[in-house]
C-alpha cells in the first residue's frame, strides 16, 4: 500500500532529475518562473498564465510580462546588426 505523492515528494523528484542532467542550480521555483516567462514571451494572455499558475491576483502574474519584455529587449540587443 503506497501513499499518494505529495508536494515535497514531487520537489525531491524534480531536484533529483535536475541534478542528473546537470542543472543543480535550477529548482522547482525556477521551472515555474521559466514556464510563466516563456508563455508571456509567446503571447499567452495574462489571464491564461494567471489561471495556469494558480494566482488569485493578476499583479502576481504581471511580473512575467515585465520579465518577457526584458528577455525580448536583451534578445534584440544580442542579435542587433
Amino acid at each position: 500500500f503506497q501513499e499518494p505523492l505529495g508536494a515535497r515528494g514531487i520537489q525531491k523528484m524534480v531536484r533529483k532529475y535536475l541534478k542528473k542532467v546537470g542543472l543543480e542550480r535550477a529548482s522547482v521555483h525556477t521551472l515555474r518562473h521559466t514556464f510563466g516567462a516563456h508563455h508571456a514571451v509567446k503571447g499567452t494572455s495574462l489571464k491564461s498564465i494567471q489561471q495556469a499558475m494558480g494566482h488569485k491576483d493578476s499583479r502576481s502574474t504581471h511580473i512575467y510580462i515585465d520579465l518577457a519584455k526584458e528577455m525580448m529587449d536583451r534578445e534584440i540587443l544580442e542579435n542587433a546588426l
Side-chain angles (χ1 to χ4, degrees), residues 33 37 41 62-72 74:
H33 280 302
V41 167
H62 196 74
I63 188 172
Y64 298 107
I65 302 301
D66 296 336
L67 183 57
K69 287 177 186 173
E70 285 179 34
M71 291 169 62
M72 288 186 286
R74 188 176 333 125

Side-chain angles (χ1 to χ4, degrees), residues 6-71:
R8 292 287 175 225
I10 292 169
Q11 283 182 330
K12 285 180 182 181
M13 280 187 359
V14 170
R15 270 188 243 140
K16 173 184 156 183
Y17 289 109
L18 287 171
K19 186 175 182 179
K20 196 172 193 173
V21 297
L23 297 172
E24 291 88 3
R25 293 180 59 198
S27 67
V28 172
H29 196 69
T30 57
L31 292 176
R32 182 174 168 81
H33 280 302
T34 301
F35 173 87
H38 172 79
H39 280 281
V41 167
K42 294 294 183 182
T44 303
S45 73
L46 185 63
K47 187 70 175 170
S48 294
I49 297 170
Q50 178 183 352
Q51 287 178 327
M53 298 188 78
H55 293 160
K56 290 182 178 25
D57 189 337
S58 65
R59 290 177 291 186
S60 300
T61 313
H62 196 74
I63 188 172
Y64 298 107
I65 302 301
D66 296 336
L67 183 57
K69 287 177 186 173
E70 285 179 34
M71 291 169 62

